[in-house]
Each structure stands twice: as structure tokens, then as C-alpha cells.
Amino acid sequence: MKMQKRTNLVTQFSSFLYVKEESSSLITYWKITPELQRNMELLLKQQIICAEEDKIAQEFLQWLKNNQDQLKYKHLIAYLQESCFFASKKVYQRLQNYWDLFTWLDYFQWANLLVSSPVQLLSKYDGNFKFKLTTYATNKIECQLIDQAYKYMGWERASDWGLLRQLNVSNRRKCLEKIGGLKGSNLQKYLLIWECFNLIYQPRVMSKNKQLQCPSSSHYTQISNEYNFLITKQGNIFSSINSDDCEAILLSCIDFARQYCNPRTIISDKYLDNLSEDMSLDFQEEKDYQQTQWDLVNNILTTTFSQLTMAQKILFYLWKGIEITQIEIVLVMSKNYPNFVTQQYQLAREIKLVRKILLESLIEKILVEQKVKLTKAKITDFKTPLDSWLQQHCKQFLSTKISCIYESLSMEEKENIKQYLINKNWSFNTKIDNQFCLKIANLFQENIQLEFNLIFPETEHIKVSFIHLIEEWMTNYTHLLINNS
């Protein structure tokens, strides 16, 4: 399965992706709608719209929220075709390892139904955090495709704590083994603590429309006490835990369970919901306001992140940047940073600490200094963007390093990469066959190892994580690499 990415403005807003079967395989091709093609050419020629794809899409969306225009409506649907493809591809690849229920074409057809109502799909998009419209759309489609698969299976999207209660014993073991990489006594320890959680934390009233709330400190104490009591009956083969250890381990279980049941679905609706307070601003003023808000949040978090310890920064570069698993991070860091983390629950505790530091900096600089009334709802609004900001910040940091490595390549190597990108098809096959990605990935890994004094175990997952990071960098900078090589 291959799909050629569109690069021309007119075709981006005038063509639709079609799929046909040939020799037991699916072939995709773009089909231009003449009416849309003529209209886009006219709009560009008369300079009614700008020559930047994302701004055009945003202007069309803003117009359609208050007006009727069938051509703009169809232009927007056409523009979202690649979001359909990539969302379908990602959900299919993630879920096929767990539930082999649907084909890629099933997901792609569902995705097209979603984008057939683009204003509804993008109703909460406003760009406060500078996400491209296609990025938002892709994530939104991913979430709804997973919802569709869940409904077919009789699952409901659960809160974090509800998810822990929802998984049966068999799936708990699978998620801790496959996602968490746990085995042996560590696996048994986590399973027992998870079981104690389900035993102790039973809400009095189960409401279908209410999310299960976080356990209280009293609950953590009861769960840890129950665990400590049970292990005495097993000859003390496990070490005892306190309430803080209990919380850290359960948070790790949530992380693993979320990836197992809802793999890598990022950016919650709360994060993507409108943060703008002045809806009377016109479009340009609103964009200026959003830019100011983004700059303020970004500056605060960037400054605070820079003040973290080196070990804390490395933790997030590995987790949010390179995207290796938490159990792999413990293996990597415990060798040369033994005073930082040596166990999974310690890593979870550090993650929670950094989030707390960043959240407090936002509250202090935005709410307290601007004398905004401090409410639980206001604090919650600040919690939701943190993970996505951290990922974006860490990716950007690593991206700068990759760019430096690329600049060190010979002119011949750069020209080869340019030709590869020009001829590249966006392949549905996940097999890694790009020698350029592999070479830059190896150089990048050596650079990271030297700079941060790390030793990476030679596992296939870590190798692929580095290669995926380079592929992502190439995708983001394709235009620049082709024109500047």
C-alpha cells in the first residue's frame, strides 16, 4: 500500500484519494475534481487567498463556521484526505496487534465519513498551541476511529482509573509484558498491586456517565497495606511498599494500560478545546491573541524546563523525544545515573515531579501574577497541555541535533537524500529500508550516548525508535532538504 503525498496547493484542495484492488493488493491514486481545480486556480490568481496551505485551510474553516459555501466545503474535505490516510494507517498498525478485526480499508472508509462533515470534525480547532489543522484533524480522526473499534467490541473509553478496573487478569498480564516489558518477580509484583487496587478501590455508585475519580491518599495506604499483608503469606519474596510507591506503580500501570488499549492516542479534547476568552475578536486579532498566549506558555515552560537537573531532562528526551519505553529508560539510565533511577516506580515518581514543577510554574506566572482567581478548573486547564508541550519541546531539541548531523554529511550524501525524498512514496509498509535514515540514526545515537554519557542496550525496539525519529525529522523537513541540498 503506497500513497504519493501531494505537494501542489491546487491539487491539495482539489483532489480526492481513491482506492482500488489490483492483483489482491490495494492501489491508491489521486483524482482531481475539475470544478475545484478551476476555483482554486482562480482564488490564487486573484490573490483572494494566501499561498500557504494551512492558512488557506484555516480561512476556509473559519468562513464555513458562519457561512454556507459548497466549494469551500469540498475544498476542505479534499485537503483532509491525507489526514484520513495517515490516521487510518496509524490506528490500523496500532490495533492490529491487539485485535485483528478490521482492515486498513475499513478504517479509511470510516475516516472519510468523519471528514465528510469537516466543520463538525474541526469545531473545536483554534490553533492556540500552533498545531497545524491537519495535525489536529489526524489526531481527532485517530481518536474517533479507536472509539469506533471499541464500540464494535463492546468497550467504552474509560478514565485512567476506570481502565485499571476494566482490564481482566489476562489483559493486565499482557499489557505489563508487552507494553511495560515487565517479567519475573517485577511482573508478579505489579500484578499483585493492581489486584489490590481493584480489591480496595470500589466506588459506592458506578455511573455510566461519570469518570472514576483518582484514589485518595487513604486508598493508597489501604492498597499498600493489603499488598504488604499478602506478601507475608508468600514468604516475603517481595519487598514491602509504602503509599508513595503504590501510587507510582499504579500510575505506571495506567500508562501501560492506556498504550495497550488506546495506543499512542495523544492530545485530549480538553487540550484541543478553545482557550480563547474573547470570542468577539476578529480572525486576525484572534490569531494574534493566540500567538501571544502560546508564546507566554512556551517561554514559561522552556525556562522552567531548562532549570531541571540534567538527569530529569535526559529522562524526557528519551521518553517524549525518542519514545523508548519506561522500562528501557530505567535500563539506560541506571548504569550511569544510579542515584537517579534504578526501578520503574522511581521513574514514574520523577515524571510526576517534573510535571508538578512545570504546572506550578504556569500557575505562578499566569494565574498568580495576573491575579486570576485560582480554581480547580483553572488548574485542570493547565494540566492537559503539559505532555504534548513536553513532547514538542523534546522533539525540537533532538531535531536541532539531527540537523547538525545532517549538515556534517558530504555533498554527495546530501544529494542522495534529496533524490530519495523527491522519488519517495509514502509507504504503508512499516519495514525499514532507508539507508539514509539508518546512517543518520546511528550517528545520532552515538552523539546522544557521548553527550549524555548513556549506554543503550542493543534491542530491536530501541533501534527502530531511533530510525522512526529520523524518519519523522525527514518528513517534517522534506521541503527544506529538497530545496537547500
Side-chain angles (χ1 to χ4, degrees), residues 5-145:
K5 194 174 188 296
R6 300 171 295 180
T7 56
N8 178 275
L9 269 179
V10 173
T11 58
Q12 284 176 323
F13 288 89
S14 307
S15 58
F16 293 85
L17 188 64
Y18 284 77
V19 183
K20 63 180 179 179
E21 189 170 352
E22 288 187 1
S23 303
S24 301
S25 63
L26 295 177
I27 306 297
T28 62
Y29 62 97
W30 292 105
K31 185 175 181 180
I32 290 179
T33 303
E35 179 188 30
L36 297 181
Q37 182 182 27
R38 288 193 297 271
N39 191 57
M40 277 301 296
E41 289 173 346
L42 180 64
L43 292 174
L44 289 168
K45 182 178 180 180
Q46 296 180 348
Q47 297 184 341
I48 295 173
I49 56 176
C50 64
E52 295 181 36
E53 58 170 283
D54 193 57
K55 289 184 179 179
I56 293 173
Q58 290 190 42
E59 288 174 9
F60 284 173
L61 176 62
Q62 197 69 17
W63 174 268
L64 290 170
K65 284 182 177 179
N66 303 302
N67 305 277
Q68 294 292 325
D69 189 314
Q70 283 301 310
L71 287 177
K72 286 186 174 67
Y73 195 82
K74 292 176 182 178
H75 282 314
L76 199 52
I77 295 173
Y79 182 63
L80 294 174
Q81 290 292 288
E82 284 166 349
S83 291
C84 285
F85 179 89
F86 290 123
S88 304
K89 169 184 173 180
K90 188 171 182 179
V91 172
Y92 175 73
Q93 289 176 339
R94 298 296 182 188
L95 294 187
Q96 68 171 334
N97 293 326
Y98 306 102
W99 312 305
D100 189 16
L101 297 174
F102 309 109
T103 66
W104 170 82
L105 189 56
D106 290 327
Y107 288 116
F108 183 65
Q109 290 171 340
W110 285 339
N112 269 285
L113 286 175
L114 293 173
V115 301
S116 66
S117 301
V119 178
Q120 179 181 348
L121 177 71
L122 305 170
S123 61
K124 295 180 180 179
Y125 174 80
D126 66 14
N128 273 299
F129 284 83
K130 295 183 69 177
F131 283 113
K132 288 183 65 177
L133 185 141
T134 49
T135 303
Y136 177 96
T138 302
N139 286 317
K140 193 78 172 179
I141 294 168
E142 285 176 24
C143 290
Q144 295 196 28
L145 289 180

Side-chain angles (χ1 to χ4, degrees), residues 91 104 117 143 159 202-203 222 225 272 358 418 447 449 470:
V91 172
W104 170 82
S117 301
C143 290
S159 66
Q202 297 184 4
Q222 293 177 56
N225 287 342
L272 297 167
L358 293 170
K418 175 181 177 179
N447 179 280
Q449 288 181 161
I470 304 305

Side-chain angles (χ1 to χ4, degrees), residues 81-338:
Q81 290 292 288
E82 284 166 349
S83 291
C84 285
F85 179 89
F86 290 123
S88 304
K89 169 184 173 180
K90 188 171 182 179
V91 172
Y92 175 73
Q93 289 176 339
R94 298 296 182 188
L95 294 187
Q96 68 171 334
N97 293 326
Y98 306 102
W99 312 305
D100 189 16
L101 297 174
F102 309 109
T103 66
W104 170 82
L105 189 56
D106 290 327
Y107 288 116
F108 183 65
Q109 290 171 340
W110 285 339
N112 269 285
L113 286 175
L114 293 173
V115 301
S116 66
S117 301
V119 178
Q120 179 181 348
L121 177 71
L122 305 170
S123 61
K124 295 180 180 179
Y125 174 80
D126 66 14
N128 273 299
F129 284 83
K130 295 183 69 177
F131 283 113
K132 288 183 65 177
L133 185 141
T134 49
T135 303
Y136 177 96
T138 302
N139 286 317
K140 193 78 172 179
I141 294 168
E142 285 176 24
C143 290
Q144 295 196 28
L145 289 180
I146 292 172
D147 277 338
Q148 186 71 28
Y150 276 21
K151 287 177 183 177
Y152 185 89
M153 292 191 61
W155 282 60
E156 291 293 337
R157 294 292 285 275
S159 66
D160 289 342
W161 301 100
L163 187 59
L164 287 189
R165 292 190 57 80
Q166 193 178 75
L167 286 180
N168 60 31
V169 175
S170 174
N171 281 326
R172 288 177 216 164
R173 177 179 289 274
K174 287 179 182 177
C175 98
L176 292 177
E177 288 177 334
K178 291 183 177 181
I179 306 300
L182 299 176
K183 55 186 178 181
S185 59
N186 266 342
L187 174 63
Q188 297 306 318
K189 178 178 181 179
Y190 275 61
L191 284 170
L192 185 55
I193 292 172
W194 197 333
E195 180 62 33
C196 290
F197 164 80
N198 283 335
L199 179 66
I200 299 296
Y201 191 42
Q202 297 184 4
R204 295 177 182 177
V205 179
M206 291 297 292
S207 173
K208 186 176 181 179
N209 298 319
K210 290 185 179 180
Q211 291 190 333
L212 194 62
Q213 297 300 308
C214 300
S216 64
S217 56
S218 174
H219 283 123
Y220 288 125
T221 300
Q222 293 177 56
I223 295 167
S224 57
N225 287 342
E226 178 68 15
Y227 169 82
N228 292 333
F229 172 74
L230 290 176
I231 63 174
T232 59
K233 294 186 174 182
Q234 300 181 20
N236 289 322
I237 60 173
F238 301 118
S239 57
S240 61
I241 62 170
N242 57 35
S243 59
D244 288 339
D245 298 333
C246 175
E247 181 181 6
I249 290 172
L250 287 173
L251 289 174
S252 293
C253 290
I254 286 173
D255 185 40
F256 301 148
R258 182 60 69 195
Q259 289 185 51
Y260 178 76
C261 292
N262 182 13
R264 300 213 177 185
T265 300
I266 62 172
I267 307 176
S268 68
D269 279 343
K270 288 183 179 179
Y271 178 38
L272 297 167
D273 282 352
N274 184 23
L275 298 176
S276 177
E277 296 178 359
D278 189 357
M279 299 306 293
S280 65
L281 298 173
D282 64 26
F283 185 55
Q284 186 58 48
E285 289 175 335
E286 185 175 351
K287 287 172 70 176
D288 292 340
Y289 171 77
Q290 292 168 1
Q291 182 66 49
T292 301
Q293 289 296 99
W294 162 256
D295 289 342
L296 176 61
V297 170
N298 186 50
N299 289 338
I300 292 169
L301 292 178
T302 300
T303 300
T304 308
F305 189 88
S306 68
Q307 296 168 350
L308 298 174
T309 67
M310 181 55 72
Q312 288 172 326
K313 293 177 188 175
I314 293 172
L315 187 165
F316 278 90
Y317 293 148
L318 298 178
W319 185 39
K320 291 294 184 182
I322 303 173
E323 297 188 66
I324 64 177
T325 67
Q326 290 187 20
I327 198 70
E328 287 169 332
I329 294 172
V330 172
L331 289 174
V332 171
M333 299 200 69
S334 60
K335 293 183 179 180
N336 290 323
Y337 296 87

